[in-house]
Amino acid sequence: MQTLTVELGDRAYPIHIGPGLLDRADLVLPHLVQKRAVIVTNTTVGPLYLERFATTLRNAGVQVDSVVLPDGEVYKNWETLNLIFDGLLTQRAERKTTLIALGGGVIGDLTGFAAACYQRGMPFIQIPTTLLAQVDSSVGGKTGINHPLGKNMIGAFYQPQLVLADTETLNTLPARELSAGLAEVIKYGLIRDLPFLEWLETHMDALMARDTTALTYAIHRSCENKAEVVAADERESGQRALLNLGHTFGHAIETGMGYGNWLHGEGVSAGTMLAADLSRRLGMISNDDVDRIAALFQRAGLPVIAPDLGYDAYMDYMGVDKKVEAGRIRFVLFKKVGDAYVTGEYDPNALRTTLTEAVGKA
Ligand code: NAD
Ligand code: GLY
């Protein structure tokens, strides 16, 4: 097992990464305020891992209840959030009961937001079971839900007490979901860690083959990057926005195509290619750089052509992005491969060309 810390002063917390952690009550117990927990999961992850993890806790004397939600991005909304509150109230959960997210990013984001709201805040723990959640969404305290008009538009910053990433859970992950997680892994290399990008270029086949050593290294290095950025800029007043590479375009794709049709990581991949195209048009990176980025996403089984939603639709969806300032859409663009920046200064004609010429058929 490897352990990292997200350094947030008195709210610092550990990220444990390794095999078999669902059986490790000793890692969880120090973080429970009372010996009581409610596990939130879904109809896919529940049958795979709920009983095993609940038994781990029960054998350690913890009273465990659960809430099982429907599965899918389309359920990351108010109605589903309310099902968590229904469960908490029915089970008479208290303010010091710990809420535990067992699942991917959708469960993590919903559960974290519920924890932030229930009785104005209860402790929570992230047990991420997708690659995407293990490398990104479980770390850093962004929680929330979608609105029909915009992705992740309602939410709160609310840090977990602990992140427990059991790498063995990735054995049951569908191939498409593994690829979606790799989009966020590649992101860290592209925005701030060129040596990691080069490592990914060398080890992509091993990652796609689910080589345990390669996956564990990629998770650890991704979490290191994320923990550093979050510790420096928890509330995204500066460099944390870099973690949104490809996300402004990607969220528009996810919303425009209907939640769940394009996976988050797929939107990030195709969205990053739009960011690369725009950066090239602005003279920041070369054609070869764009091809290099596309090649890595393709080897990770990810789409590199964004759907043609139409210029106006893209602009509408991107207009509700959280990086918008004074009505201006801001993008994460490339200074060079391995180094990104956030800017609202770009030629709008170049953006129009990207959104009309670098997209494919929806
Ligand atoms: P997801 O939560 O929908 O999980 C993907 C699918 O895999 C689901 O069907 C899920 O039930 C299933 N699954 C989960 N674990 C499994 C396992 N071990 N075996 C088999 N199936 C399993 O999707 P995701 O990619 O994990 O997360 C995407 C969400 O995360 C998006 O809503 C995105 O906005 C959010 N996100 C949040 C942050 C953040 O900082 N909070 C960062 C990135 C993404
Ligand atoms: N996934 C973007 C962030 O956590 O800031």
Side-chain angles (χ1 to χ4, degrees), residues 50-116:
L50 176 58
E51 207 37 55
R52 176 170 155 204
F53 182 59
T55 302
T56 298
L57 294 185
R58 284 191 189 113
N59 287 347
V62 180
Q63 181 193 327
V64 181
D65 293 297
S66 61
V67 176
V68 180
L69 302 176
D71 181 12
E73 182 75 34
V74 75
Y75 295 107
K76 191 173 144 181
N77 58 23
W78 275 118
E79 288 74 25
T80 313
L81 185 71
N82 218 28
L83 295 178
I84 304 180
F85 297 137
D86 291 347
L88 289 171
L89 287 161
T90 311
Q91 291 156 8
R92 297 277 185 271
E94 298 173 6
R95 184 180 268 173
K96 290 184 177 170
T97 302
T98 294
L99 201 57
I100 301 183
L102 177 68
V106 169
I107 287 295
D109 283 10
L110 273 161
T111 305
F113 191 32

Side-chain angles (χ1 to χ4, degrees), residues 136-137 139-140 142 184 187 226 230 236 240-241 243-244 247 264:
D136 190 350
S137 63
V139 176
K142 279 192 182 175
E184 302 281 19
K187 171 185 80 178
K226 179 130 192 196
V230 168
E236 200 169 304
R240 184 162 181 174
L243 297 174
N244 280 311
H247 285 58
H264 179 71

Side-chain angles (χ1 to χ4, degrees), residues 14-225:
I15 306 168
H16 299 305
I17 302 162
L21 302 192
L22 289 181
D23 303 321
R24 295 282 304 272
D26 59 309
L27 298 176
V28 179
L29 286 179
H31 300 278
L32 299 184
V33 187
Q34 57 176 205
K35 279 199 151 187
R36 203 170 158 201
V38 176
I39 302 172
V40 180
T41 188
N42 70 23
T43 49
T44 303
V45 180
L48 290 169
Y49 301 114
L50 176 58
E51 207 37 55
R52 176 170 155 204
F53 182 59
T55 302
T56 298
L57 294 185
R58 284 191 189 113
N59 287 347
V62 180
Q63 181 193 327
V64 181
D65 293 297
S66 61
V67 176
V68 180
L69 302 176
D71 181 12
E73 182 75 34
V74 75
Y75 295 107
K76 191 173 144 181
N77 58 23
W78 275 118
E79 288 74 25
T80 313
L81 185 71
N82 218 28
L83 295 178
I84 304 180
F85 297 137
D86 291 347
L88 289 171
L89 287 161
T90 311
Q91 291 156 8
R92 297 277 185 271
E94 298 173 6
R95 184 180 268 173
K96 290 184 177 170
T97 302
T98 294
L99 201 57
I100 301 183
L102 177 68
V106 169
I107 287 295
D109 283 10
L110 273 161
T111 305
F113 191 32
C117 299
Y118 185 73
Q119 298 196 10
R120 300 196 183 90
M122 68 195 294
F124 100 106
I125 288 174
Q126 289 271 21
I127 315 243
T129 61
T130 62
L131 180 61
L132 185 139
Q134 294 188 355
V135 299
D136 190 350
S137 63
S138 65
V139 176
K142 279 192 182 175
T143 73
I145 56 172
N146 301 327
H147 185 280
L149 296 178
K151 171 96 182 130
N152 292 338
M153 289 312 290
I154 321 291
F157 286 100
Y158 195 67
Q159 301 292 344
Q161 258 67 45
L162 162 72
V163 179
L164 206 64
D166 185 336
T167 47
E168 274 174 1
T169 60
L170 301 182
N171 294 337
T172 54
L173 197 64
R176 191 177 164 198
E177 300 293 349
L178 185 82
S179 290
L182 288 172
E184 302 281 19
V185 173
I186 293 169
K187 171 185 80 178
Y188 295 112
L190 289 174
I191 60 172
R192 71 193 301 273
D193 192 350
L194 188 58
F196 185 37
L197 190 77
E198 289 164 354
W199 182 89
L200 288 169
E201 288 175 327
T202 311
H203 292 85
M204 187 50 72
D205 296 343
L207 291 169
M208 288 295 277
R210 302 185 195 222
D211 176 88
T212 308
T213 311
L215 272 175
T216 305
Y217 178 76
I219 295 165
H220 186 270
R221 184 79 172 238
S222 298
C223 286
E224 250 173 6
N225 271 291

